[in-house]
Amino acid sequence: MSKKPFYIVAIVLSLIIVWTLTPITNYIARINGARYAEKHFPEMQLVVEDVTYSKAFGSHIITYVGKDNKKYSCSIYPIYFPNKLGQGAFAIEETYKEHYPNQAE
C-alpha cells in the first residue's frame, strides 16, 4: 500500500491548521485592507496601523492612519480570508467623498 495518500492528507491538514491561526489571517487582512484602501481611497493615503481579530464581531478590525494623522477603523471579513470591508467602511467612504469630491467613485 502506498503512503502517498497519507502524505497528501497530512499536508492538507497542516495547511488548514496553519491557515486558521490568527497571525496568518491577520497578515491576510493587512494585505487585503491595504490594497482596498489604495484602490478606493487613494487621496487619503491610508496606511494600515493595526489588525486584530475580534471575537465579539466575528471578524478582524483594521485600523488605518491617513495623511492627516486621523485614524479610521472598520471590520474586514470573512474570518479565514478577510478581503471585504464591513462595519465602519461607510464612514471612511463618506469622509472621502466629503474631502475629495472629484475623486470619489
Side-chain angles (χ1 to χ4, degrees), residues 11-32:
I11 290 170
V12 169
L13 287 176
S14 297
L15 288 173
I16 290 171
I17 290 169
V18 168
W19 189 264
T20 60
L21 295 174
T22 302
I24 301 297
T25 57
N26 281 352
Y27 181 74
I28 294 167
R30 180 178 293 271
I31 297 293
N32 288 330

Side-chain angles (χ1 to χ4, degrees), residues 50-62:
D50 188 34
V51 176
T52 57
Y53 177 73
S54 170
K55 286 184 182 181
F57 289 108
S59 63
H60 294 78
I61 305 300
I62 188 166

Side-chain angles (χ1 to χ4, degrees), residues 19-91:
W19 189 264
T20 60
L21 295 174
T22 302
I24 301 297
T25 57
N26 281 352
Y27 181 74
I28 294 167
R30 180 178 293 271
I31 297 293
N32 288 330
R35 286 182 183 163
Y36 187 93
E38 187 177 299
K39 180 180 178 184
H40 291 89
F41 316 115
E43 298 296 322
M44 292 176 78
Q45 298 177 6
L46 297 175
V47 176
V48 177
E49 180 182 66
D50 188 34
V51 176
T52 57
Y53 177 73
S54 170
K55 286 184 182 181
F57 289 108
S59 63
H60 294 78
I61 305 300
I62 188 166
T63 303
Y64 298 101
V65 176
K67 69 180 180 181
D68 58 355
N69 287 331
K70 188 174 178 185
K71 291 187 180 188
Y72 304 90
S73 293
C74 63
S75 65
I76 184 167
Y77 65 96
I79 296 170
Y80 299 113
F81 192 74
N83 62 353
K84 297 177 182 135
L85 295 187
Q87 183 137 1
F90 183 72

